[in-house]
Amino acid sequence: MATLTTSDVTLPTQIVDGIVEKTKTGSTIAALSNQEPMRFGPATIVTFDDDLTAEFVEEGAAKSEDDAQPSSVVAPPHKAVVNFRTSDEFLIADEDYQLGVLDKFEEKCARALARGLDLGAYYRINPRTGSAITAWTNYLNTTTNRVEITASSEPDLDFEAAAGLVIGDGYSPTGVALDPSYAWTLSTARYADGRKKYPELGLGVNVSGFEGLRASVSSTVSGKPVDGSTADNKVRAIVGNYEQGIRWGVQRTFPFRMLQFGDPDNTGRDLAGHNEILFRAEVIFAWYVFADQFAVIEDAAA
């Protein structure tokens, strides 16, 4: 573990791989859409919403113009930072203890980055504060396609209504992100004779598909900055064209760092003065959400 005495820490391969894989599976966006390779900086995404038309041209006749034109949008970069303080006794501990701490950081870091991607792209929420980043104007929850859950609602019919709004706008829904409470509601829906409507959903945990669409479950759907948070924006499901409606990628990952001096997370506590060290991981995401390709199912009390 000699590398741990330097400021840039090289994690064991299995830990680095674990962070990447867990981030992918922990985010509903990453579970339902594909990451794209992106260079650092604002990424220009070409769009072509106008349909082209074919033209039959008779012998010797002139060809006419098709006025369909491509346009573009810009996916700006967003840096996500994860900090983790621990006692500087870590430096003199044995290798098993050090790897145990790194394993825990891996788990927490992966979870934080995964949730950050969802919260930023869905609701422009800063996960650390739980507040909206008002300078960001592109996020999914600006969609006008909305279905309200009422006391007489049937969850499967609400789902159909949401999918119908997306289809009515000319897009094909490919996935659905579910809040855990709504996944439970769907999994326990029953016919009048007591039979489950969707026995394949089990108890609503780790749902991977519903009604022919890919599915993913996370409390980020209801805008919770951390698991167990009481924050709740009343959104219960997001249905839409995840394959084309969200364009995202990781532009850059910074070296995992171990810092021993100063106040790198601006807490007012000097690391050396309080016998602490700080681990830091940074990732630059970029995304653009075409909000009109999605529909939100939300509690009527929202």
Side-chain angles (χ1 to χ4, degrees), residues 255-301:
F256 170 82
R257 306 201 63 168
M258 183 181 70
L259 305 175
Q260 298 175 249
F261 306 102
D263 182 21
D265 51 353
N266 300 302
T267 63
R269 289 171 58 90
D270 179 78
L271 290 172
H274 288 81
N275 300 314
E276 293 176 328
I277 57 174
L278 179 139
F279 296 122
R280 170 171 288 166
E282 298 179 72
V283 170
I284 295 181
F285 293 110
W287 63 74
Y288 191 90
V289 181
F290 297 90
D292 60 341
Q293 299 189 31
F294 294 88
V296 167
I297 300 173
E298 60 190 342
D299 194 291

Side-chain angles (χ1 to χ4, degrees), residues 31-47:
L32 300 174
S33 62
N34 295 320
Q35 175 182 337
E36 300 181 21
M38 291 185 179
R39 295 180 178 179
F40 175 69
T44 299
I45 299 171
V46 177
T47 63

Side-chain angles (χ1 to χ4, degrees), residues 79-100:
K79 179 186 285 189
V81 181
V82 179
N83 294 319
F84 175 71
R85 283 194 180 220
T86 190
S87 168
D88 64 3
E89 293 179 1
F90 173 91
L91 298 172
I92 59 174
D94 61 33
E95 183 174 321
D96 287 341
Y97 175 82
Q98 290 179 337
L99 283 175

Side-chain angles (χ1 to χ4, degrees), residues 127-194:
R128 182 68 54 79
T129 65
S131 302
I133 303 173
T134 57
W136 295 4
T137 57
N138 176 251
Y139 56 102
L140 187 146
N141 204 36
T142 58
T143 181
T144 58
N145 295 327
R146 313 189 83 86
V147 174
E148 285 194 343
I149 301 170
T150 65
S152 59
S153 286
E154 295 290 340
D156 48 345
L157 297 183
D158 287 341
F159 177 83
E160 289 181 7
L165 292 174
V166 176
I167 294 170
D169 281 345
Y171 303 104
S172 297
T174 63
V176 56
L178 301 166
D179 179 76
S181 65
Y182 200 69
W184 165 259
T185 298
L186 286 171
S187 70
T188 55
R190 297 180 183 273
Y191 294 106
D193 61 3

Side-chain angles (χ1 to χ4, degrees), residues 112-134:
L113 291 173
R115 297 182 68 81
L117 175 61
D118 279 15
L119 292 169
Y122 286 157
Y123 303 115
R124 64 176 181 178
I125 287 177
N126 183 338
R128 182 68 54 79
T129 65
S131 302
I133 303 173
T134 57

Side-chain angles (χ1 to χ4, degrees), residues 111 115 119 127 129-130 179 219 222-233:
R111 188 177 181 182
R115 297 182 68 81
L119 292 169
T129 65
D179 179 76
S219 63
S222 55
K224 295 183 177 181
V226 294
D227 279 345
S229 169
T230 57
D232 187 346
N233 62 13

